[in-house]
Amino acid sequence: MKLNTQEQAMLDGDGQPGADARQKAMHLLLRYGEALGAERLVDTNNVAGTAGSSSTFIRDFYAKEGVATRDQLFSRFDLDSDDAVDEIQTARTFTCHLQTRIDPAHAEMMGVPGDVLDFHKESQGHSASLGVQLLNTCTPYANGNVQVKGEHCAWMESSAVVYCNSVLGARTNTEGRESTAAAMLTGKIPYWGFHLDENRLGQHQIDVEVEMDSVMDWGMLGYFTGDAVEEEIPVLTGIEGPASLIRHKHFGAAAASSGGVEMYHVVGATPEAGSIEQAFGTNRPVQILKYGAIERRRTYETINGNGHSTDVDYIMLGCPHYSIEQIWEASKLLDGKRVHENCALWIFTAAAVKDVADRNGYTKIIEDAGGVMMTDTCSAMSAALPRGTRVAATDSAKQTHYLPAITDVEAWFGSAADCVEAAITGKWKGEAP
Ligand code: F3S
């Protein structure tokens, strides 16, 4: 890979404070970029990862190799370095923290032991001391980190990556813990994949022939799309009527879980698809698929393939993390109601959004009804469910996809209204649209 003068100086160890860690970071980016066939690096000032986060398992693993301090652990674990570095300097580039595995305010309810919680808090303190912004959400684009079109980023988290590329027109590959940590210290990331114009063109065409009226409709279409195109780029035509942040959020998260979609185009709506010709550019569609009432019905049945008993004991809302609009809607559905005694309702969001929900009184309405508002994590991420859960329900195709695999429960998928009704009655009554 060709390095410019600044990059070469970082690789050589430029004698500046923090040179050791930056040198390790550049070594990592060089190895990574060369393995990918990248010709060069690109500047980034927008990183979303898990820099500084760790677990007691990782701590104990590296302790056997003599790692004693947080900074040493960062160099071994986050930078994949063979040598421990004694001092990690603060972030050179704007970096935010994605979701974690623990909501500190509900650690006991999640079954997190005290020493694990203490270590988690110390990890978060270390991340903050490095200049990492503790957004702690899978939706940074809705919480103070909104990219602009063409901006080069280094993001982890599949649902955020697909939103970044598709809806905002910014550019990122699905990075990992180590590459985002290296980007944080250097402000560089390999220039390949979705950073390049030619890799952002459509490959498959999906003609949508049903109304797209709800978040649930967008979630199902996303699930169908990911299954159909796997890791390639779909171009969706025929979608009329308003989209919204929430609808795209659920579409992208579903497409990234049933397949590995990292970018999509909606003709007339997303920034690189002003027309079908622009979306495909020099590509010709590999296939042209239809998404009509039959496909929608089949998709609904596939997502709900893990639901059997209609006696529901856990409702999970907030995958991806709920927006304030969704919390507002949930609070209206729950106002004056009571969650069934055999059921639990947990709603996940970003801490910044919960703060608004607190101020608007939505948290109180939800908690008065017996629900719990949680932040920083989710059930799939933490593998934490209310004790004894056998049957869950959620309004997220992504969460329905992962929850049975991770936690061995049954899971139903439906609208937010279906889910809140199940929370109140303890019975699943959702139906295919
Ligand atoms: Fe976010 Fe958890 Fe879903 S991290 S995208 S709420 S699986």
Side-chain angles (χ1 to χ4, degrees):
M1 234 177 8
K2 290 194 204 92
L3 300 183
N4 64 25
T5 313
Q6 180 203 31
E7 293 158 358
Q8 189 63 51
M10 284 194 262
L11 188 66
D12 293 342
D14 52 13
Q16 302 290 319
D20 282 357
R22 259 200 299 280
Q23 189 178 33
K24 303 288 182 208
M26 280 302 295
H27 270 296
L28 185 147
L29 291 174
L30 198 62
R31 296 197 312 269
Y32 173 48
E34 285 183 344
L36 296 165
E39 291 183 0
R40 66 177 177 91
L41 300 170
V42 65
D43 289 338
T44 179
N45 187 38
N46 196 325
V47 177
T50 54
S53 253
S54 188
S55 67
T56 48
F57 173 82
I58 296 296
R59 175 198 62 192
D60 297 344
F61 177 83
Y62 283 104
K64 287 186 203 134
E65 299 185 11
V67 168
T69 70
R70 285 275 172 184
D71 280 356
Q72 289 175 349
L73 186 60
F74 187 97
S75 61
R76 293 296 314 277
F77 184 44
D78 291 85
L79 295 178
D80 190 33
S81 162
D82 290 339
D83 312 312
V85 171
D86 288 329
E87 189 179 358
I88 306 293
Q89 296 297 303
T90 54
R92 184 172 253 203
T93 191
F94 174 60
T95 301
C96 71
H97 201 292
L98 294 165
Q99 69 273 10
T100 73
R101 291 182 189 277
I102 297 173
D103 172 4
H106 295 96
E108 195 178 332
M109 201 179 80
M110 295 175 70
V112 177
D115 62 321
V116 173
L117 176 62
D118 290 344
F119 187 77
H120 173 74
K121 287 180 177 170
E122 284 169 26
S123 289
Q124 290 271 286
H126 185 241
S127 299
S129 74
L130 296 175
V132 177
Q133 317 304 323
L134 300 178
L135 300 187
N136 293 2
T137 177
C138 49
T139 59
Y141 52 81
N143 288 280
N145 187 353
V146 187
Q147 307 98 319
V148 295
K149 188 174 178 208
E151 183 175 358
H152 292 285
C153 304
W155 280 34
M156 289 170 64
E157 169 48 41
S158 62
S159 68
V161 164
V162 66
Y163 192 95
C164 168
N165 279 318
S166 314
V167 183
L168 300 174
R171 299 180 173 219
T172 185
N173 296 302
T174 306
E175 298 294 346
R177 154 185 287 276
E178 297 82 358
S179 60
T180 50
M184 168 190 132
L185 290 175
T186 60
K188 308 282 178 181
I189 199 73
Y191 187 59
W192 72 288
F194 290 104
H195 293 285
L196 303 172
D197 290 344
E198 61 267 31
N199 295 330
R200 300 175 65 82
L201 298 171
Q203 293 162 293
H204 302 257
Q205 182 172 331
I206 299 180
D207 296 331
V208 178
E209 298 181 357
V210 288
E211 302 279 307
M212 295 291 295
D213 286 334
S214 66
V215 171
M216 183 174 161
D217 284 333
W218 282 74
M220 286 189 291
L221 178 59
Y223 202 84
F224 170 86
T225 299
D227 191 43
V229 309
E230 298 182 351
E231 295 175 353
E232 300 198 319
I233 302 178
V235 176
L236 296 118
T237 71
I239 299 180
E240 291 174 2
S244 65
L245 181 154
I246 303 166
R247 291 176 177 193
H248 279 290
K249 173 167 77 96
H250 281 255
F251 174 90
S257 41
S258 59
V261 174
E262 294 169 274
M263 177 158 188
Y264 63 87
H265 299 287
V266 178
V267 174
T270 52
E272 292 167 52
S275 64
I276 194 163
E277 291 78 17
Q278 184 194 4
F280 279 108
T282 51
N283 284 353
R284 291 174 65 86
V286 174
Q287 58 177 340
I288 300 178
L289 298 172
K290 179 183 99 165
Y291 181 75
I294 293 170
E295 289 77 16
R296 181 174 63 181
R297 174 89 195 197
R298 275 197 207 122
T299 303
Y300 178 87
E301 287 166 359
T302 301
I303 302 173
N304 276 303
N306 282 307
H308 304 291
S309 168
T310 53
D311 291 329
V312 178
D313 35 32
Y314 174 42
I315 306 300
M316 187 277 183
L317 299 177
C319 172
H321 280 169
Y322 251 17
S323 69
I324 192 65
E325 186 183 348
Q326 290 174 295
I327 294 172
W328 179 39
E329 184 190 347
S331 76
K332 285 189 283 187
L333 292 166
L334 284 161
D335 198 3
K337 308 272 179 30
R338 188 77 206 150
V339 172
H340 194 271
E341 59 186 356
N342 296 335
C343 204
L345 167 66
W346 291 2
I347 300 178
F348 295 88
T349 190
V353 171
K354 180 174 178 294
D355 186 52
V356 180
D358 292 350
R359 282 189 261 146
N360 272 64
Y362 307 147
T363 304
K364 180 164 184 339
I365 293 170
I366 290 163
E367 291 182 349
D368 284 352
V372 184
M373 285 278 290
M374 300 176 68
T375 66
D376 293 29
T377 189
C378 75
S379 286
M381 191 69 203
S382 59
L385 304 171
R387 196 159 297 140
T389 296
R390 292 166 300 106
V391 184
T394 169
D395 63 346
S396 164
K398 174 175 178 174
Q399 192 77 198
T400 319
H401 182 85
Y402 286 121
L403 213 49
I406 293 170
T407 64
D408 199 26
V409 297
E410 295 178 25
W412 293 104
F413 164 78
S415 67
D418 291 337
C419 290
V420 170
E421 190 189 353
I424 293 165
T425 62
K427 292 279 178 196
W428 183 252
K429 296 180 194 146
E431 287 181 2

Short mmCIF file of all heavy atoms in Angstrom, two decimals, residues 273-305:
data_model
loop_
_atom_site.label_atom_id
_atom_site.label_comp_id
_atom_site.label_asym_id
_atom_site.label_seq_id
_atom_site.Cartn_x
_atom_site.Cartn_y
_atom_site.Cartn_z
N ALA A 273 -29.50 7.43 -5.72
CA ALA A 273 -30.48 6.76 -6.59
C ALA A 273 -31.57 7.75 -7.01
O ALA A 273 -32.76 7.49 -6.85
CB ALA A 273 -31.09 5.56 -5.87
N GLY A 274 -31.13 8.87 -7.59
CA GLY A 274 -32.11 9.82 -8.11
C GLY A 274 -32.93 9.20 -9.23
O GLY A 274 -34.08 9.58 -9.47
N SER A 275 -32.34 8.24 -9.91
CA SER A 275 -33.05 7.49 -10.97
C SER A 275 -32.51 6.07 -10.95
O SER A 275 -31.45 5.80 -10.34
CB SER A 275 -32.75 8.11 -12.34
OG SER A 275 -31.36 7.97 -12.61
N ILE A 276 -33.22 5.18 -11.65
CA ILE A 276 -32.74 3.79 -11.69
C ILE A 276 -31.40 3.73 -12.43
O ILE A 276 -30.51 2.94 -12.08
CB ILE A 276 -33.81 2.86 -12.30
CG1 ILE A 276 -33.45 1.40 -12.02
CG2 ILE A 276 -34.01 3.10 -13.79
CD1 ILE A 276 -34.61 0.45 -12.21
N GLU A 277 -31.24 4.60 -13.41
CA GLU A 277 -29.97 4.62 -14.17
C GLU A 277 -28.81 5.02 -13.25
O GLU A 277 -27.73 4.44 -13.30
CB GLU A 277 -30.06 5.61 -15.34
CG GLU A 277 -31.00 5.19 -16.46
CD GLU A 277 -32.47 5.43 -16.13
OE1 GLU A 277 -32.76 6.21 -15.18
OE2 GLU A 277 -33.34 4.82 -16.80
N GLN A 278 -29.05 5.99 -12.40
CA GLN A 278 -27.98 6.41 -11.48
C GLN A 278 -27.66 5.29 -10.49
O GLN A 278 -26.50 5.03 -10.18
CB GLN A 278 -28.39 7.67 -10.71
CG GLN A 278 -27.26 8.19 -9.82
CD GLN A 278 -27.70 9.24 -8.80
OE1 GLN A 278 -28.88 9.55 -8.67
NE2 GLN A 278 -26.75 9.78 -8.07
N ALA A 279 -28.70 4.60 -10.01
CA ALA A 279 -28.48 3.56 -9.01
C ALA A 279 -27.63 2.41 -9.56
O ALA A 279 -26.77 1.88 -8.86
CB ALA A 279 -29.83 3.03 -8.51
N PHE A 280 -27.88 2.04 -10.83
CA PHE A 280 -27.12 0.92 -11.40
C PHE A 280 -25.82 1.37 -12.09
O PHE A 280 -24.89 0.58 -12.23
CB PHE A 280 -27.98 0.14 -12.42
CG PHE A 280 -28.91 -0.84 -11.76
CD1 PHE A 280 -30.27 -0.62 -11.72
CD2 PHE A 280 -28.42 -2.00 -11.17
CE1 PHE A 280 -31.14 -1.51 -11.09
CE2 PHE A 280 -29.27 -2.91 -10.55
CZ PHE A 280 -30.63 -2.66 -10.51
N GLY A 281 -25.77 2.63 -12.52
CA GLY A 281 -24.58 3.10 -13.21
C GLY A 281 -24.23 2.19 -14.37
O GLY A 281 -25.08 1.89 -15.22
N THR A 282 -23.01 1.70 -14.40
CA THR A 282 -22.58 0.82 -15.49
C THR A 282 -22.98 -0.64 -15.28
O THR A 282 -22.74 -1.48 -16.14
CB THR A 282 -21.04 0.88 -15.62
OG1 THR A 282 -20.49 0.64 -14.32
CG2 THR A 282 -20.60 2.25 -16.11
N ASN A 283 -23.57 -0.96 -14.13
CA ASN A 283 -24.00 -2.35 -13.88
C ASN A 283 -25.32 -2.65 -14.56
O ASN A 283 -26.14 -1.76 -14.79
CB ASN A 283 -24.21 -2.58 -12.37
CG ASN A 283 -22.91 -2.71 -11.61
OD1 ASN A 283 -21.85 -2.77 -12.21
ND2 ASN A 283 -23.00 -2.75 -10.29
N ARG A 284 -25.54 -3.91 -14.86
CA ARG A 284 -26.86 -4.40 -15.28
C ARG A 284 -27.38 -5.28 -14.16
O ARG A 284 -26.61 -5.98 -13.51
CB ARG A 284 -26.76 -5.24 -16.56
CG ARG A 284 -26.40 -4.42 -17.78
CD ARG A 284 -26.16 -5.34 -18.97
NE ARG A 284 -27.39 -6.05 -19.35
CZ ARG A 284 -28.30 -5.54 -20.18
NH1 ARG A 284 -28.10 -4.36 -20.72
NH2 ARG A 284 -29.39 -6.21 -20.49
N PRO A 285 -28.71 -5.26 -13.89
CA PRO A 285 -29.22 -6.08 -12.77
C PRO A 285 -28.90 -7.56 -12.96
O PRO A 285 -29.13 -8.11 -14.04
CB PRO A 285 -30.74 -5.85 -12.82
CG PRO A 285 -30.96 -4.70 -13.73
CD PRO A 285 -29.75 -4.52 -14.58
N VAL A 286 -28.39 -8.18 -11.93
CA VAL A 286 -28.14 -9.63 -11.95
C VAL A 286 -29.46 -10.37 -12.04
O VAL A 286 -29.60 -11.40 -12.68
CB VAL A 286 -27.41 -10.05 -10.64
CG1 VAL A 286 -27.25 -11.56 -10.55
CG2 VAL A 286 -26.06 -9.37 -10.53
N GLN A 287 -30.47 -9.84 -11.37
CA GLN A 287 -31.81 -10.42 -11.40
C GLN A 287 -32.83 -9.31 -11.12
O GLN A 287 -32.48 -8.30 -10.52
CB GLN A 287 -31.95 -11.54 -10.37
CG GLN A 287 -31.68 -11.08 -8.95
CD GLN A 287 -31.88 -12.17 -7.90
OE1 GLN A 287 -32.56 -13.16 -8.15
NE2 GLN A 287 -31.31 -11.97 -6.72
N ILE A 288 -34.06 -9.54 -11.58
CA ILE A 288 -35.14 -8.60 -11.26
C ILE A 288 -36.21 -9.41 -10.52
O ILE A 288 -36.76 -10.36 -11.06
CB ILE A 288 -35.73 -7.96 -12.53
CG1 ILE A 288 -34.64 -7.19 -13.28
CG2 ILE A 288 -36.89 -7.02 -12.16
CD1 ILE A 288 -35.09 -6.56 -14.60
N LEU A 289 -36.44 -9.06 -9.28
CA LEU A 289 -37.39 -9.79 -8.43
C LEU A 289 -38.61 -8.93 -8.16
O LEU A 289 -38.54 -7.69 -8.20
CB LEU A 289 -36.74 -10.14 -7.09
CG LEU A 289 -35.53 -11.05 -7.14
CD1 LEU A 289 -34.88 -11.15 -5.77
CD2 LEU A 289 -35.93 -12.44 -7.64
N LYS A 290 -39.71 -9.61 -7.85
CA LYS A 290 -40.93 -8.89 -7.49
C LYS A 290 -41.19 -9.09 -6.00
O LYS A 290 -40.98 -10.19 -5.46
CB LYS A 290 -42.08 -9.50 -8.30
CG LYS A 290 -43.41 -8.88 -8.02
CD LYS A 290 -44.50 -9.60 -8.82
CE LYS A 290 -45.21 -10.61 -7.95
NZ LYS A 290 -46.46 -11.13 -8.43
N TYR A 291 -41.64 -8.05 -5.33
CA TYR A 291 -42.10 -8.17 -3.94
C TYR A 291 -43.56 -7.74 -3.92
O TYR A 291 -43.89 -6.56 -3.90
CB TYR A 291 -41.27 -7.29 -3.01
CG TYR A 291 -41.66 -7.39 -1.55
CD1 TYR A 291 -41.32 -8.50 -0.79
CD2 TYR A 291 -42.38 -6.37 -0.93
CE1 TYR A 291 -41.68 -8.59 0.55
CE2 TYR A 291 -42.75 -6.44 0.41
CZ TYR A 291 -42.39 -7.55 1.14
OH TYR A 291 -42.74 -7.65 2.48
N GLY A 292 -44.44 -8.75 -4.00
CA GLY A 292 -45.88 -8.49 -3.99
C GLY A 292 -46.50 -9.09 -2.73
O GLY A 292 -45.80 -9.46 -1.78
N ALA A 293 -47.82 -9.23 -2.76
CA ALA A 293 -48.54 -9.70 -1.57
C ALA A 293 -48.11 -11.12 -1.19
O ALA A 293 -48.00 -11.45 0.00
CB ALA A 293 -50.04 -9.65 -1.84
N ILE A 294 -47.84 -11.97 -2.20
CA ILE A 294 -47.44 -13.37 -1.89
C ILE A 294 -46.08 -13.38 -1.20
O ILE A 294 -45.87 -14.06 -0.19
CB ILE A 294 -47.41 -14.21 -3.19
CG1 ILE A 294 -48.84 -14.36 -3.72
CG2 ILE A 294 -46.77 -15.56 -2.96
CD1 ILE A 294 -48.93 -14.96 -5.10
N GLU A 295 -45.15 -12.61 -1.76
CA GLU A 295 -43.80 -12.57 -1.17
C GLU A 295 -43.86 -11.99 0.25
O GLU A 295 -43.16 -12.44 1.15
CB GLU A 295 -42.87 -11.74 -2.05
CG GLU A 295 -42.49 -12.37 -3.38
CD GLU A 295 -43.59 -12.29 -4.42
OE1 GLU A 295 -44.55 -11.50 -4.24
OE2 GLU A 295 -43.52 -13.03 -5.42
N ARG A 296 -44.69 -10.96 0.43
CA ARG A 296 -44.81 -10.35 1.76
C ARG A 296 -45.37 -11.37 2.76
O ARG A 296 -44.87 -11.48 3.88
CB ARG A 296 -45.73 -9.13 1.69
CG ARG A 296 -45.89 -8.44 3.03
CD ARG A 296 -46.67 -7.14 2.90
NE ARG A 296 -48.03 -7.40 2.44
CZ ARG A 296 -48.94 -6.45 2.21
NH1 ARG A 296 -48.62 -5.18 2.38
NH2 ARG A 296 -50.14 -6.76 1.80
N ARG A 297 -46.37 -12.11 2.34
CA ARG A 297 -46.98 -13.12 3.23
C ARG A 297 -45.94 -14.19 3.60
O ARG A 297 -45.81 -14.58 4.76
CB ARG A 297 -48.16 -13.75 2.49
CG ARG A 297 -48.81 -14.90 3.18
CD ARG A 297 -49.88 -14.40 4.07
NE ARG A 297 -50.28 -15.41 5.01
CZ ARG A 297 -51.40 -15.36 5.69
NH1 ARG A 297 -52.21 -14.34 5.55
NH2 ARG A 297 -51.72 -16.30 6.54
N ARG A 298 -45.19 -14.65 2.59
CA ARG A 298 -44.17 -15.68 2.86
C ARG A 298 -43.10 -15.15 3.81
O ARG A 298 -42.61 -15.86 4.68
CB ARG A 298 -43.50 -16.10 1.54
CG ARG A 298 -44.26 -17.17 0.82
CD ARG A 298 -43.37 -17.84 -0.23
NE ARG A 298 -44.21 -18.36 -1.28
CZ ARG A 298 -44.13 -18.04 -2.56
NH1 ARG A 298 -43.18 -17.22 -2.98
NH2 ARG A 298 -44.95 -18.55 -3.44
N THR A 299 -42.75 -13.90 3.62
CA THR A 299 -41.72 -13.30 4.48
C THR A 299 -42.22 -13.23 5.92
O THR A 299 -41.49 -13.57 6.86
CB THR A 299 -41.36 -11.88 3.97
OG1 THR A 299 -40.92 -11.99 2.62
CG2 THR A 299 -40.27 -11.25 4.82
N TYR A 300 -43.46 -12.81 6.08
CA TYR A 300 -44.04 -12.74 7.43
C TYR A 300 -43.98 -14.12 8.09
O TYR A 300 -43.60 -14.27 9.25
CB TYR A 300 -45.48 -12.25 7.33
CG TYR A 300 -46.20 -12.18 8.65
CD1 TYR A 300 -46.11 -11.04 9.46
CD2 TYR A 300 -46.97 -13.25 9.11
CE1 TYR A 300 -46.77 -10.98 10.68
CE2 TYR A 300 -47.63 -13.20 10.33
CZ TYR A 300 -47.53 -12.05 11.11
OH TYR A 300 -48.17 -12.00 12.32
N GLU A 301 -44.34 -15.17 7.31
CA GLU A 301 -44.35 -16.52 7.88
C GLU A 301 -42.93 -17.00 8.20
O GLU A 301 -42.70 -17.68 9.20
CB GLU A 301 -45.05 -17.48 6.92
CG GLU A 301 -46.56 -17.25 6.93
CD GLU A 301 -47.29 -17.91 5.77
OE1 GLU A 301 -46.63 -18.56 4.94
OE2 GLU A 301 -48.53 -17.75 5.72
N THR A 302 -41.98 -16.61 7.37
CA THR A 302 -40.59 -17.01 7.63
C THR A 302 -40.08 -16.36 8.91
O THR A 302 -39.49 -17.02 9.78
CB THR A 302 -39.68 -16.59 6.45
OG1 THR A 302 -40.17 -17.20 5.28
CG2 THR A 302 -38.24 -16.99 6.69
N ILE A 303 -40.31 -15.04 9.03
CA ILE A 303 -39.82 -14.35 10.24
C ILE A 303 -40.46 -14.95 11.48
O ILE A 303 -39.84 -15.08 12.53
CB ILE A 303 -40.10 -12.83 10.17
CG1 ILE A 303 -39.46 -12.21 8.93
CG2 ILE A 303 -39.57 -12.12 11.41
CD1 ILE A 303 -39.84 -10.74 8.69
N ASN A 304 -41.74 -15.33 11.35
CA ASN A 304 -42.46 -15.86 12.51
C ASN A 304 -42.32 -17.38 12.65
O ASN A 304 -43.04 -18.00 13.45
CB ASN A 304 -43.94 -15.48 12.41
CG ASN A 304 -44.16 -14.08 12.98
OD1 ASN A 304 -43.84 -13.82 14.13
ND2 ASN A 304 -44.68 -13.18 12.17
N GLY A 305 -41.37 -17.95 11.92
CA GLY A 305 -41.20 -19.40 11.95
C GLY A 305 -40.79 -19.95 13.30
O GLY A 305 -40.93 -21.16 13.57
#
